[in-house]
Amino acid sequence: MAVPKKKTSHQKQHQRRAHWKAEAQEIGTCANCAAPKRSHTACGGCGYYRGRPARLKDAVI
Ligand SMILES: [Zn+2]
């Protein structure tokens, strides 16, 4: 296994991690109620996902 010859300095460590940051979440709109919602998740307001009810308590059978 390759072993580092020198201990990484705090400055180098911080320089490397300076580009490591969280990105903003994708926000879309619900096709059913047009409310803003996160992509690839059921709508928080109406519970619909891709035009169909996705939450059991909202399902009308
Ligand atoms: Zn909705």
Side-chain angles (χ1 to χ4, degrees), residues 7-55:
K7 178 180 176 176
T8 307
S9 69
H10 287 280
Q11 188 188 0
K12 272 288 166 197
Q13 205 169 50
H14 284 125
Q15 280 172 355
R16 186 172 62 240
R17 291 173 185 174
H19 301 279
W20 195 89
K21 42 191 169 289
E23 288 176 19
Q25 296 228 316
E26 289 290 331
I27 302 290
T29 51
C30 178
N32 190 50
C33 68
K37 74 170 196 69
R38 280 165 59 197
S39 298
H40 312 112
T41 58
C43 176
C46 65
Y48 270 58
Y49 183 67
R50 297 186 70 183
R52 295 194 301 144
R55 286 192 311 219

